[in-house]
Amino acid sequence: MYKIPMSALLNKKEHTNIEDFNRDISKYRTAIMGIAMISVMLFHQYFTSVIPFNLFHNFGSWGVDVFLFLSGMGIVRSLNNNSLKVYYLRRLKRILPSCILCGSIKYSIFLLLGSSVAILKEVLNIGGWSFLSFDLWFIPSIIILYTISPILHWLIKYWLNPLVLLTTIIFFINGIFISPQIGYEWMSPIGIFAWTTSRLPVFLLGMYIANKNYWWNRILFFSYLFLVIALCLKILDKSGTSFQGINDCILFALMIGMPALIKLNLKVLRKLSPMLLSLVNFFGKYSLELYLVHEFIFWTLKILCKDVCVWILLPVWLGLSCFSAYLCKNIINYSFYLAQNKK
C-alpha cells in the first residue's frame, strides 16, 4: 500500500494555511488598510501627549509597513493576471489623480494663507513638488517600487537568495552610512534612495509570500519571533538605554514580523461589530487620500488655532481629514465616470 510521505503532508498543510491567509487578506484587505491608516494618522498627530494617544508616537509607524506589505502581495496578483501595460496603467490610475488633486489643493491653500503658515514649508516640505504630492516621502518611494516591481517579481522567482542577501546588505548600509547623514532630508536623489531602500524588505516580503506557497508555518514562526524582538527593542529604546543603530534593527525586525502582525490584525477584525468594521473600512477605502491630506490639515490647524483647546482640535482635524479625503476621492471617481460616458 502506497504511503504518503510526511513531507508531502506538511507541505499540503502549509499550502492550506497560506491559502487561508491569502483568502483572509482578500476579505479584510480594506479593513487592514483602515487600521494601518488610523495608526499612521495618530502617529503623525502631536496635539497631545496624553495616554493612550502618545502610544501611537512610539508604536504607530508600522502602518506604512502594512501598506507596503499588502502592496507587494497585490502587485504579484496583478502581474500574474495582466499584461505590463495594464499593470502600469492601473497603478497610474490609482495614484496619479489623487496625488495631483490633493497636492494642488494643498499648495493652493498654502499660497493663499501666505506668511501665516510659512513654517509649513520647513515642517512639511511644501513647495513646487507639492503639486504631485512629492512633499510626502511615501509617494516617490511607492512610485519607484511600482516601477521596478516586474523586475523584482522575476528576481523572486529565479534569483531569490541573491536578492535577499543584496536587499539585506543595502538596508544596513543605508541605515549605517546614509540615513544618519540625511536624517529626514529626503528630497534629493540620495534621500529618495535611502527612504525607498529602508522599506524595500517588507515590500519584497509581501511579494515573496504571494509568490511562494511553501514553508509558510516556518515563516510565520519566525515572523512572530521577530515581532516580539521588535517590540522588546522599541521598549528598550524608549527606556533610554538604546544603542547605536537600534532604529534600523527595530525596523528590520518589524518588517520580518509583518505576516504575524497581519495575522493579529485579522484576529481583531473578525471580532469587530459590523458598525466598527464599516468605520475601519472607511479609513481603508480612502487611505491614499487620507494620507495625502491629513498631515497638512493637522499642521495648518495647529498653526492657525494654537490657542484652541486640544480636545476640540482633535475631532476637527479628524473630521476635516475624512471629509477632504472623501470629497477628493469622489471628485476623481466622478471625473472617470464622465470620461467613460463620453466615449
Side-chain angles (χ1 to χ4, degrees), residues 258-277:
M258 191 51 56
L261 188 59
I262 296 291
K263 287 278 286 186
L264 293 175
N265 272 269
L266 289 169
K267 289 182 179 180
V268 171
L269 290 169
R270 290 191 196 102
K271 296 182 182 297
L272 289 183
S273 66
M275 183 179 293
L276 281 176
L277 190 59

Side-chain angles (χ1 to χ4, degrees), residues 24 50 76 159 176 194 211 245 256 279 282 294 337:
D24 285 342
V50 177
V76 169
W159 298 90
I176 295 170
N211 252 309
I256 305 301
L279 180 63
F282 173 88
H294 80 275
Y337 172 77

